[in-house]
Amino acid sequence: MDPPAQIPCSGNCLVHLHSFSGHAWLLRRICPFLQYPGPLGIPHFLITQTNNQAILLSHIEIITLHFLLKKATIEGLGLPARHIVAILPASSNTTHFQTQLSAGASGAAMRILFFMARPVLAASYYQSLTPGHRTVLVFELGVEIFEVSLLTEDENLKVKAAVSDLGCPLFNFMASELPRCIGIDITGDASGLLRIREACERAKNALCLGSGTADVMFERLGSKVSMQINREWLVWLNLNHLHRGIMRCLMEGGVRREAVHEIVLAGASTNIPEVRQVLRQCFRRQPFRCDIDPENIVELSAMQYVNDVSARYNIPLFGLRLFNFGLYSI
């Protein structure tokens, strides 16, 4: 009898906890090494299209290309794709990025009417448990995102601090240790960094499928080095990474943990008991807002918001979830 087929991990597990967000973090770091000089000094990037032809595009042109792909998908469902609400992580919802997204959308004959931060949507779905002013920590952890946000509310919810740019802890460790073992510096070596990331993911896959240990191997300039890891150590590393994100967000927001009134959970991975234990160790008394399945809370709130705005202005609207958009996703 043939052995049972190995089912690939969905990414929603303690081993792969930071794989996707870590990859997005790495792409942001190596993009400056991959750019080419373009007209008027505007950096261009080599993009491989679906027909395997490579072209040089600016950042805005890449965003436009991404919007065109989204537009084709929406219109293929028979829905209008003219006016949209952009739903962003709080850490990406900056004026600079909003300007870039608006320019890219315009190139695709689309218009962004509103920008909404994901933690604001998550927190606004629940009525306040605290009369008057409240401080809310939104902890979102899913396959595609890890973000800790601190919100305050008097009349409206406002983002006070947001932390998401932490990368993958296994990659961070290996990118420091492996090159040091063979005496080379790969700080500006995009190819070397990507190889370490691939080696880390291969080791994670082996541990996720049941191996007791796994080797992270790296070879560069004729030298080869390997480090062995086990599942227990990797899970500890991943969970400690969550704690670091929480404490950094509180520090950047200038808020003591005792001053947080409630914790809103978002993202499928917040249903993992070990993840909730990390949160409970940080916030022993605060209530966890998770009556609605955290996996669906942002989408439900976004749907409600888009429908309300569409009815108020009497125009068809479509909500687009934008994680690592444009340059970092194609």
Side-chain angles (χ1 to χ4, degrees):
M1 180 181 295
D2 293 334
Q6 293 180 334
I7 301 174
C9 176
S10 65
N12 183 28
C13 74
L14 289 172
V15 169
H16 288 97
L17 211 53
H18 304 288
S19 289
F20 187 94
S21 59
H23 185 221
W25 175 89
L26 176 59
L27 289 179
R28 287 193 289 273
R29 291 298 177 274
I30 67 175
C31 271
F33 310 136
L34 304 177
Q35 65 187 29
Y36 297 82
L40 303 177
I42 298 174
H44 280 57
F45 301 85
L46 194 63
I47 302 299
T48 302
Q49 302 180 97
T50 53
N51 59 5
N52 291 326
Q53 289 187 343
I55 57 173
L56 285 171
L57 297 175
S58 69
H59 191 183
I60 300 300
E61 289 171 334
I62 294 172
I63 292 176
T64 295
L65 178 59
H66 205 151
F67 270 116
L68 286 170
L69 294 173
K70 293 283 188 182
K71 183 178 182 180
T73 301
I74 297 169
E75 292 181 340
L77 298 173
L79 300 171
R82 169 65 179 164
H83 300 105
I84 60 177
V85 175
I87 302 165
L88 300 166
S91 51
S92 301
N93 196 24
T94 63
T95 302
H96 177 66
F97 193 44
Q98 287 179 5
T99 301
Q100 291 181 326
L101 288 176
S102 295
S106 178
M110 302 172 77
R111 184 184 176 194
I112 301 177
L113 296 186
F114 301 97
F115 293 91
M116 282 299 297
R118 294 178 63 86
V120 172
L121 288 170
S124 64
Y125 204 77
Y126 293 106
Q127 289 187 344
S128 173
L129 296 175
T130 309
H133 174 84
R134 68 166 173 162
T135 300
V136 183
L137 185 131
V138 178
F139 185 90
E140 182 171 12
L141 181 63
V143 174
E144 296 181 289
I145 187 171
F146 169 43
E147 182 172 72
V148 186
S149 307
L150 199 61
L151 281 64
T152 57
E153 182 179 30
D154 291 308
E155 295 181 357
N156 298 304
L157 283 163
K158 295 181 180 179
V159 178
K160 187 177 181 69
V163 170
S164 67
D165 205 14
L166 295 173
C168 168
L170 179 61
F171 169 82
N172 295 345
F173 177 81
M174 291 299 173
S176 171
E177 291 299 311
L178 294 180
R180 184 181 61 81
C181 290
I182 55 179
I184 63 173
D185 179 14
I186 63 167
T187 304
D189 183 352
S191 176
L193 292 171
L194 285 171
R195 287 188 180 184
I196 290 180
R197 194 259 171 184
E198 291 168 358
C200 289
E201 293 307 309
R202 282 194 295 269
K204 288 182 188 179
N205 292 339
L207 294 175
C208 189
L209 291 171
S211 296
T213 60
D215 292 322
V216 180
M217 293 179 286
F218 176 63
E219 185 174 0
R220 203 70 172 158
L221 302 176
S223 299
K224 187 175 182 179
V225 64
S226 175
M227 295 187 71
Q228 189 176 86
I229 63 173
N230 60 56
R231 189 181 190 279
E232 182 180 5
W233 176 80
L234 178 57
V235 169
W236 171 84
L237 194 68
N238 284 341
L239 293 176
N240 187 58
H241 200 59
L242 302 180
H243 183 268
R244 288 179 57 240
I246 294 169
M247 300 313 295
R248 178 174 154 185
C249 185
L250 291 171
M251 182 183 68
E252 292 187 3
V255 174
R256 294 178 296 106
R257 69 177 84 182
E258 296 82 6
V260 176
H261 295 109
E262 54 193 82
I263 313 299
V264 173
L265 304 186
S269 297
T270 60
N271 287 319
I272 299 174
E274 291 86 349
V275 171
R276 293 203 180 184
Q277 185 177 359
V278 171
L279 281 161
R280 185 50 73 194
Q281 288 171 350
C282 292
F283 304 101
R284 299 185 182 277
R285 298 181 179 179
Q286 290 88 336
F288 284 5
R289 309 303 301 273
C290 52
D291 301 336
I292 306 299
D293 186 352
E295 182 176 4
N296 302 318
I297 183 66
V298 174
E299 283 68 23
L300 289 173
S301 185
M303 188 184 305
Q304 179 177 296
Y305 175 81
V306 169
N307 289 339
D308 289 347
V309 173
S310 181
R312 186 187 313 157
Y313 293 97
N314 194 29
I315 54 174
L317 279 174
F318 198 90
L320 278 185
R321 295 173 297 166
L322 311 178
F323 286 105
N324 298 284
F325 204 65
L327 181 61
Y328 312 124
S329 58
I330 295 183

